[in-house]
Amino acid sequence: MNHDPGSGLEAGQFDMSQFHQVFFEESYEHLRSMEALLLELDLLTFDHEVMNAIFRAAHSIKGSSATFGMQEIADLTHEAENLLDKVRNRELEMTVAMVDTLLEAGDAIRQQLDCRRDGVMSETPDTTALKARLKALADPAAAEFRAPDAQGMAPQSSKITWRIIVPLPGGTLEEKQQAWFLGELRTFGVLDEAPESGRDGALHLRLTTADPVTELPALINFMLSIEGTTVTPVDTAHQAQAVSEAYGLFHAAAAAPVDDNGYGFFDAPALPAIVDAAVAASAPVAASNQSEPVAKPAARKAAEEASIRVSVEKVDQLINLVGELVITQAGLLQNVMGLDAGAHPQLFSSLTDLERHTRDLQESVLGIRMLPISNVFNRFPRMLRDLAAKLGKQVELKTLGEGTELDKGLIEKITDPLTHLVRNALDHGIELPEVRRQVGKPDVGTITLRAAQRGGNIVIEVSDDGGGLRRDKIIAKARERGLAIADQATDTEVWNLIFAPGFSTADAVTDVSGRGVGMDVVKRNILSLGGSVEIDSSAGMGSKVTIRLPLTLAIMDGMSVALGDEVYVLPLASVIESIPLRAEQVRSISGHGNVIEVRQEYLPVLDLRTAFQVQRKADAIDIAVIIEAEGVKTALLVDELVGQQQVVVKNLESNYRRVPSVSGATILGDGRVALILDVNALVKRSRH
């Protein structure tokens, strides 16, 4: 290689910066995989495959960062790798403290990567204390036990020796439970003697810790939830006082619910620094796919699939070209419709093949942009885990329909609104454990994320079993802000008030909520995607937010209908059937519009010519197109059925403005513009 004086490279050196983008993408992927696997980890069951996958992720980041000269990342990942290596080789048992520290290391590595990518090395986090903690966890025998204080790792000279007595109703602890329990205790200090069962049929232990661990009694109650467990200091009055204060802080812990394995769920109030990590790591925030059993974690499955990296710009360009091809194919078909098929058999055969190949190509190209919504759902277990710790709440996350696929463009734009809705569900919806207990609910609240394809739409629901929205409080806040609302307003009208800019029902401003920023942005972002958002709530039972989005932003199958001289397009997935209509079939309901009877079912009628102010053709025969949205059927009156075809969806709002009952536009084969109708809006319009 010739030396270029202006390049900054010495002779023989190779410019590695051209590979930085690939390095960052792969490193972020490894971090996501590592975090997902750590959150899924069952501490009571050693899974060698999972541990190997976590180790490989850390090892890959370390090797790549060292190759690119990012030594601060390599050093931190090296310490994490050492700890993981000992765990996977069964030299150490994985503990909640290890999981939390590894997650914290992942956050620090992500910050380091961000700084490198953005070129702001001055903001690189100091990881000295974190590396020391990883090193101590990897080699506990060589490390003097140190308790972290508010400043990081601070040595503590004084110790407390605790006497722990665990009643054993069955005469003994289950072997797996005892091994896990003892492993957790060793993370806080040194067990001076082997566990033994006393004459009273209880397990007797002696544990020496640094004296800031005054919350150990409450923590042990969290772990075991065995009534009668006592944890007392061996000597000194000030130690006894410290224990008393700890019990005062965690008096509600003993009532923590017990899971199916007999282990108590960890609550997450504001703990002293040393157990913040352990308690938060054990909080019952677990992502579970209820639709079907999954043999492997999603992160592992994704890692095993072969893939090729292609920039989004290239994929978008390909989709645009396929869209133009669809328009051209439709134009060709329209131009030959007047020809005699018998006189030109080869031409019509070729056009049929072209139509089939165009459809196959369109489906394949769109499939490139379609991603499972699990890419969004997988972000929330960690977020809820940390937020539950901050708010002192217990929550379980359930996910349904994670395999539902959505356009990549929608995935990117729906992430922030969903994040805000999930945070709101925990902050405003799920009650504190003691409040839930008073109303007969389990201490652990549930937030459910559900996704499904319905017709031409993707429906995403965020629901919780919390206290629900308070109608009186919302109305009072609305009037306080000068918003007009009648006492007789429907629940839907009241719930929609929370979408007003600056509206908040929080009693105080915190770093989580209270500023009134969010729900109005959520609605605005969803509407900009051609979607809709609705709220349903029941006092004391919880709330549900339903989001409806178009399946894709690119190409769809549609049915073209004529109204006068204009052509409109209905999403084919929402069309059930079409029938000719006689005037006597239409029946009027006094003051409430018209209905028709279809197979002993009365359906509301919406005349699209009246709705869009289009002059009816003089010789038109009424045709009723039966559509369905949200489980409700409606009959649309049109002049003529033009036919079925693929249409390229164009965003009308970005090129013109938002039009009621219209979700987009398309270009027909003859070059005319046709509006794509919003089926959900039409159904609502017919019902009102």
Side-chain angles (χ1 to χ4, degrees):
M1 179 186 294
N2 295 328
H3 175 53
D4 179 3
S7 69
L9 296 175
E10 297 297 330
Q13 284 187 329
F14 186 72
D15 183 10
M16 299 289 285
S17 62
Q18 58 184 307
F19 302 110
H20 278 182
Q21 184 60 32
V22 174
F23 160 73
F24 286 123
E25 289 178 1
E26 289 185 347
S27 296
Y28 286 126
E29 279 188 14
H30 288 313
L31 281 176
R32 285 193 293 270
S33 172
M34 183 174 165
E35 181 177 287
L37 292 171
L38 284 169
L39 289 172
E40 292 173 354
L41 202 59
D42 182 358
L43 299 182
L44 299 178
T45 305
F46 181 82
D47 189 327
H48 196 269
E49 187 177 352
V50 172
M51 289 309 308
N52 278 337
I54 299 173
F55 175 82
R56 283 195 301 270
H59 182 73
S60 298
I61 297 173
K62 185 192 81 168
S64 299
S65 56
T67 300
F68 286 95
M70 302 180 187
Q71 198 57 44
E72 73 284 359
I73 301 176
D75 290 344
L76 177 56
T77 318
H78 175 71
E79 298 299 342
E81 182 189 37
N82 283 344
L83 174 58
L84 289 167
D85 189 43
K86 290 194 174 185
V87 173
R88 72 174 185 143
N89 290 327
R90 308 300 294 268
E91 297 176 33
L92 293 172
E93 292 291 330
M94 181 66 88
T95 66
V96 289
M98 292 179 184
V99 171
D100 191 81
T101 306
L102 288 168
L103 287 171
E104 189 178 341
D107 292 340
I109 293 169
R110 184 175 285 105
Q111 293 178 41
Q112 291 174 328
L113 287 168
D114 291 344
C115 292
R116 283 284 187 171
R117 182 194 59 193
D118 301 335
V120 286
M121 294 303 296
S122 59
E123 299 178 12
T124 301
D126 182 5
T127 60
T128 304
L130 183 56
K131 286 187 288 188
R133 226 179 314 158
L134 287 166
K135 187 175 294 186
L137 288 170
D139 193 3
E144 177 70 19
F145 181 79
R146 294 171 181 265
D149 60 11
Q151 305 300 320
M153 294 294 291
Q156 302 291 337
S157 56
S158 56
K159 299 284 195 280
I160 290 182
T161 298
W162 303 86
R163 181 181 293 110
I164 305 169
I165 302 176
V166 182
L168 302 176
T172 182
L173 275 179
E174 193 263 338
E175 183 178 350
K176 186 186 296 184
Q177 184 182 11
Q178 179 169 310
W180 173 81
F181 175 57
L182 297 179
E184 291 300 317
L185 289 183
R186 291 189 182 98
T187 65
F188 294 100
V190 178
L191 279 172
D192 293 337
E193 56 189 56
E196 59 180 353
S197 296
R199 296 179 181 177
D200 54 358
L203 182 66
H204 291 251
L205 300 168
R206 188 181 293 258
L207 176 68
T208 301
T209 70
D211 66 5
V213 197
T214 52
E215 63 283 341
L216 187 67
L219 186 58
I220 290 175
N221 272 308
F222 277 131
M223 291 179 184
L224 295 178
S225 291
I226 295 178
E227 188 176 352
T229 298
T230 61
V231 185
T232 55
V234 173
D235 56 349
T236 78
H238 85 275
Q239 292 175 358
Q241 176 63 27
V243 174
S244 175
E245 292 172 357
Y247 270 116
L249 180 59
F250 300 105
H251 66 279
V258 179
D259 67 10
D260 295 337
N261 296 317
Y263 299 107
F265 286 124
F266 280 62
D267 197 358
L271 304 181
I274 191 167
V275 291
D276 264 341
V279 174
S282 302
V285 180
S288 59
N289 189 334
Q290 302 298 316
S291 56
E292 59 181 1
V294 180
K296 295 181 179 180
R300 261 188 292 161
K301 182 178 179 181
E304 293 171 2
E305 293 177 354
S307 62
I308 182 172
R309 295 184 181 278
V310 179
S311 67
V312 176
E313 289 77 10
K314 290 182 179 180
V315 175
D316 288 342
Q317 183 181 13
L318 187 59
I319 290 177
N320 289 335
L321 290 174
V322 171
E324 296 301 324
L325 180 61
V326 169
I327 295 173
T328 303
Q329 180 266 328
L332 282 172
L333 186 61
Q334 185 166 337
N335 287 330
V336 302
M337 290 303 293
L339 298 178
D340 182 5
H344 304 86
Q346 190 171 357
L347 173 61
F348 278 84
S349 176
S350 297
L351 284 173
T352 301
D353 290 342
L354 175 62
E355 182 179 10
R356 184 175 67 253
H357 295 327
T358 301
R359 177 176 293 275
D360 291 343
L361 178 61
Q362 172 252 322
E363 291 177 354
S364 298
V365 171
L366 285 183
I368 297 175
R369 278 189 64 99
M370 301 299 282
L371 296 174
I373 202 167
S374 59
N375 285 274
V376 180
F377 285 2
N378 288 343
R379 301 170 184 233
F380 299 132
R382 175 72 188 280
M383 183 194 78
L384 281 178
R385 170 184 173 277
D386 295 341
L387 189 57
K390 183 178 295 185
L391 298 176
K393 297 181 178 182
Q394 299 182 34
V395 64
E396 179 185 7
L397 176 66
K398 293 183 178 179
T399 56
L400 300 161
E402 286 182 299
T404 304
E405 291 191 330
L406 196 59
D407 186 273
K408 176 177 170 57
L410 291 174
I411 287 278
E412 293 172 347
K413 294 175 182 176
I414 198 62
T415 299
D416 286 344
L418 276 181
T419 299
H420 188 85
L421 292 175
V422 171
R423 287 171 62 91
N424 264 13
L426 178 58
D427 185 24
H428 295 290
I430 302 297
E431 312 96 327
L432 290 167
E434 54 268 25
V435 176
R436 293 179 63 87
R437 204 176 302 128
Q438 290 170 4
V439 295
K441 294 183 180 180
D443 286 14
V444 183
T446 301
I447 294 176
T448 303
L449 287 171
R450 180 183 286 104
Q453 181 178 340
R454 297 177 188 168
N457 292 320
I458 290 292
V459 178
I460 304 172
E461 295 177 354
V462 181
S463 59
D464 65 75
D465 65 348
L469 296 176
R470 287 181 52 186
R471 178 187 172 95
D472 56 341
K473 190 172 184 178
I474 293 175
I475 292 177
K477 283 283 185 179
R479 289 174 176 166
E480 182 182 312
R481 291 182 47 80
L483 300 176
I485 183 69
D487 289 333
Q488 297 77 25
T490 64
D491 284 345
T492 300
E493 291 172 334
V494 174
W495 306 152
N496 284 335
L497 287 172
I498 69 174
F499 292 117
F503 192 92
S504 176
T505 58
D507 296 321
V509 175
T510 68
D511 58 348
V512 178
S513 64
R515 293 178 173 82
V517 178
M519 291 303 287
D520 60 318
V521 178
V522 167
K523 185 172 184 178
R524 187 164 62 248
N525 288 348
I526 292 172
L527 291 178
S528 70
L529 298 174
S532 62
V533 57
E534 299 173 357
I535 298 178
D536 185 24
S537 182
S538 179
M541 302 298 291
S543 302
K544 179 174 71 175
V545 180
T546 303
I547 299 171
R548 289 178 176 84
L549 296 168
L551 185 60
T552 176
L553 298 177
I555 301 174
M556 58 172 274
D557 289 318
M559 172 175 281
S560 300
V561 298
L563 304 176
D565 296 328
E566 301 294 331
V567 176
Y568 294 81
V569 178
L570 290 166
L572 189 60
S574 300
V575 176
I576 298 176
E577 61 179 322
S578 58
I579 56 176
L581 198 63
R582 299 185 306 275
E584 59 269 21
Q585 289 179 274
V586 180
R587 303 184 183 183
S588 177
I589 300 177
S590 58
H592 295 285
N594 300 324
V595 297
I596 62 170
E597 183 181 1
V598 180
R599 287 185 288 278
Q600 300 181 345
E601 182 180 7
Y602 287 95
L603 306 179
V605 175
L606 179 63
D607 191 335
L608 289 183
R609 294 162 300 202
T610 303
F612 291 103
Q613 301 179 5
V614 176
Q615 186 67 36
R616 175 181 176 177
K617 286 184 178 180
D619 57 347
I621 299 175
D622 280 343
I623 296 176
V625 179
I626 312 300
I627 62 171
E628 182 176 11
E630 305 174 27
V632 179
K633 296 179 182 178
T634 294
L636 305 178
L637 296 189
V638 302
D639 286 341
E640 181 185 353
L641 299 180
V642 178
Q644 299 178 17
Q645 64 185 97
Q646 287 183 302
V647 296
V648 181
V649 182
K650 302 292 184 180
N651 190 308
L652 189 63
E653 188 172 355
S654 61
N655 296 293
Y656 175 53
R657 63 179 174 83
R658 186 170 182 82
V659 179
S661 304
V662 172
S663 60
T666 188
I667 301 174
L668 301 176
D670 59 3
R672 289 191 296 167
V673 173
L675 298 179
I676 301 172
L677 301 183
D678 185 342
V679 173
N680 290 292
L682 292 176
V683 168
K684 289 181 181 178
R685 191 167 179 173
S686 70
R687 293 173 65 83
H688 292 288

